[in-house]
Amino acid sequence: MASLVFSGSSSTSISRPSPLSASPAQSHPLRCRVSFATFLTARCQMVEPLRHANGALPRIPIINDQSLPSFLTAPRGLEGGSKNDTRLRIFSGTANPALSQEIANYLGLGLGKIKIKRFADGEIYVQLQESVRGCDVFLVQPTCPPANENLMELLIMIDACRRASAKNITAVIPYFGYARADRKTQGRESIAAKLVANLITEAGANRVLACDLHSGQSMGYFDIPVDHVYGQPVILDYLASKTFCSNDLVVVSPDVGGVARARAFAKKLSDAPLAIVDKRRQGHNVAEVMNLIGDVRGKVAVMVDDMIDTAGTIAKGAALLHEEGAREVYACSTHAVFSPPAIERLSSGLFQEVIITNTIPVLEKKGFPQLTVLSVANLLGETIWRVHDDCSVAYEPYSSLDID
C-alpha cells in the first residue's frame, strides 16, 4: 500500500492501492511526509508558453460564413482541419456510387471504406472498414430498381453502423421506393410506404434525408426526423439558362394529383400560367388521357412530375399537348425510374428535351439524344453539411417550394 500523510496539528492519511502490487505479500509500503502549509501554497509554474511543433502559438480558428464558397459554383471544403479530423463520415451503397462520390467531393471528403458483397444465395454482407465510433454517419443509398435488393442493403448498412457505435446515422435516400403505396385506394391493400419507414427506423437510423417524396404525407410515416428537399430547383436553374420568352411558357401538370407541384414550379418559373391534363387510370402503369384544362396553343409546354416510370402518363399527355397546338414540349422529372418501355416512348419525338436528375443512375443503354441529366450532388451535399452542423436546411435557393 502507498500512503500520503500530511504533518501538522492534525494529520490525515489517504491510502490507495499501488497499481504495481499484485498481492499483499509483494507490496512495498511507501510513506511521504509533506508540510500541510507547503501543500496548500503549492503552485504550478509553466516554464514557457505552449507552442505547436512549428513554433507558432496555438490559436482558436474563426470561421466566417461570408467567406464560404457558394455551393452552386464550388465545393464546400471542410474548414478548420484535415479530412481525418472531422466526425462526418459518408458511406455509399451499391445503388448509386457515382452520386455518392460527387457528394463526397463537394464536402471535401473521401468516401468511407465499406465492404459490401453478396453470397451465392443472394444474401448481403456488409462490413465497415474504418471506425465510426462517435461519428455522424450518412449512408447514401436510393431504393431504386432493384428496389428490394437496395432496400435490404440499406437496412444492413444501418445495422452495421449502429453496432459499430456511430453517434448519429442518417439514411440519405435520394429516391424513396415504395412511396407510391402511401394510402389505401381499394380494400385489402397494404400501405408499403409505412412498412418501409418502420423498417428503416427499427434498423437504427436516427434521421432520414429524402429528395422529392411522391407525396408529402410520407414524412409522417417515420417516427424519426425527416429532412425533405426538392430536386426541382436544380431543373429550374437549368431552364433559366435557356432563352425562353416568359410569355411563351406554360407549366403543365400531367395529372390532377401533381397540381400543387406544378403550381409551385410555375411560380418559380416567372409565374408562368398553369395547365392540367385530366386522365383516368385503368390500372397500374396504364393511363388514359381525357382532356386538357388550360391553353397551350403556340406555347412552350413544360411538363413537371416527380418521377417517370413507364412514361405512359407523360407520353400521352405530350401527345395531347401537341394536338392542342403546343409549339414544343419539355418533360421535367426528378426521378428517372425508366421501366420498359419508357425509353421508346420518351425518344419517339414527342419531346424537345427530357430533363431529369441523377437521384437514380441512368445506364448508357438507357440514354437517348433528347435526354439531359442534371446532378443533385451539391443540393444533397449542402443539406448533409447543414444537418451535420445543426443548421437550418430551409435555405435559398433550395428552400421549400411552398407546396401545400
Side-chain angles (χ1 to χ4, degrees):
M1 303 292 287
S3 301
L4 178 62
V5 178
F6 302 107
S7 62
S9 57
S10 62
S11 63
T12 305
S13 177
I14 302 176
S15 301
R16 63 175 177 84
S18 173
L20 300 178
S21 59
S23 65
Q26 297 174 338
S27 63
H28 300 280
L30 174 64
R31 219 161 174 79
C32 176
R33 296 185 180 275
V34 182
S35 169
F36 189 62
T38 303
F39 178 80
L40 291 178
T41 58
R43 294 291 185 268
C44 177
Q45 296 182 354
M46 184 179 295
V47 178
E48 59 181 356
L50 294 175
R51 294 180 180 273
H52 288 302
N54 60 3
L57 291 174
R59 297 179 183 274
I60 299 175
I62 299 175
I63 299 176
N64 182 6
D65 290 338
Q66 301 301 322
S67 65
L68 298 178
S70 170
F71 62 90
L72 285 174
T73 58
R76 175 196 283 277
L78 291 177
E79 301 88 4
S82 65
K83 299 176 183 178
N84 297 328
D85 294 335
T86 182
R87 286 291 184 178
L88 175 61
R89 295 284 189 273
I90 308 289
F91 290 91
S92 173
T94 61
N96 198 345
L99 175 60
S100 303
Q101 186 62 62
E102 288 185 42
I103 294 173
N105 291 342
Y106 173 80
L107 291 170
L109 287 170
L111 283 176
K113 297 178 181 178
I114 186 171
K115 181 179 181 181
I116 303 175
K117 69 176 184 179
R118 284 165 172 76
F119 293 107
D121 61 352
E123 292 182 4
I124 300 172
Y125 173 83
V126 173
Q127 182 188 30
L128 302 180
Q129 301 290 295
E130 60 184 66
S131 174
V132 295
R133 185 177 298 273
C135 293
D136 201 0
V137 177
F138 292 82
L139 305 175
V140 183
Q141 174 79 343
T143 55
C144 52
N148 299 333
E149 287 276 323
N150 291 328
L151 174 60
M152 194 64 195
E153 184 178 304
L154 173 62
L155 297 177
I156 298 176
M157 290 171 64
I158 294 172
D159 182 71
C161 292
R162 178 175 63 87
R163 296 180 186 278
S165 301
K167 183 179 181 181
N168 290 302
I169 304 171
T170 301
V172 182
I173 311 176
Y175 169 71
F176 180 65
Y178 288 102
R180 284 172 286 185
D182 57 358
R183 65 191 185 279
K184 291 183 67 173
T185 57
Q186 303 177 34
R188 300 176 296 280
E189 280 185 332
S190 68
I191 303 180
K194 172 59 176 173
L195 172 63
V196 173
N198 288 343
L199 290 172
I200 293 173
T201 303
E202 290 300 318
N206 303 109
R207 180 182 293 271
V208 167
L209 170 56
C211 184
D212 260 325
L213 293 170
H214 185 64
S215 57
Q217 65 260 27
S218 298
M219 288 186 286
Y221 296 154
F222 291 90
D223 296 326
I224 54 179
V226 177
D227 291 306
H228 186 204
V229 297
Y230 297 95
Q232 289 184 1
V234 179
I235 300 174
L236 283 167
D237 186 58
Y238 173 76
L239 290 176
S241 66
K242 292 184 172 292
T243 56
F244 290 136
C245 179
S246 58
N247 295 329
D248 291 342
L249 285 175
V250 58
V251 176
V252 182
S253 174
D255 53 28
V256 176
V259 171
R261 182 184 299 107
R263 186 195 304 124
F265 194 91
K267 184 179 179 181
K268 298 284 185 177
L269 197 62
S270 302
D271 204 12
L274 183 66
I276 305 169
V277 176
D278 178 33
K279 68 179 178 64
R280 303 294 168 88
R281 190 177 290 279
Q282 304 298 320
H284 294 296
N285 295 329
V286 178
E288 180 181 355
V289 174
M290 300 299 293
N291 52 27
L292 178 68
I293 304 171
D295 181 25
V296 297
R297 186 169 301 277
K299 295 187 177 182
V300 176
V302 180
M303 300 189 73
V304 180
D305 209 351
D306 64 319
M307 70 171 68
I308 299 177
D309 190 358
T310 60
T313 297
I314 204 164
K316 289 187 177 182
L320 178 64
L321 293 175
H322 282 292
E323 292 175 5
E324 295 293 329
R327 189 168 79 244
E328 293 177 349
V329 178
Y330 288 77
C332 301
S333 176
T334 304
H335 308 301
V337 182
F338 285 0
S339 301
I343 303 303
E344 290 77 6
R345 289 170 173 172
L346 295 173
S347 59
S348 61
L350 291 171
F351 300 96
Q352 183 75 16
E353 191 173 1
V354 178
I355 306 167
I356 61 171
T357 70
N358 62 343
T359 56
I360 298 175
V362 180
L363 303 178
E364 290 187 9
K365 63 181 181 181
K366 292 186 176 182
F368 51 93
Q370 297 90 350
L371 183 65
T372 299
V373 182
L374 307 177
S375 177
V376 294
N378 288 11
L379 165 64
L380 293 177
E382 181 69 17
T383 306
I384 287 173
W385 175 259
R386 288 173 176 261
V387 170
H388 170 69
D389 208 30
D390 294 328
C391 297
S392 171
V393 298
Y395 51 92
E396 290 291 345
Y398 290 154
S399 60
S400 169
L401 287 181
D402 301 325
I403 297 177
D404 49 35

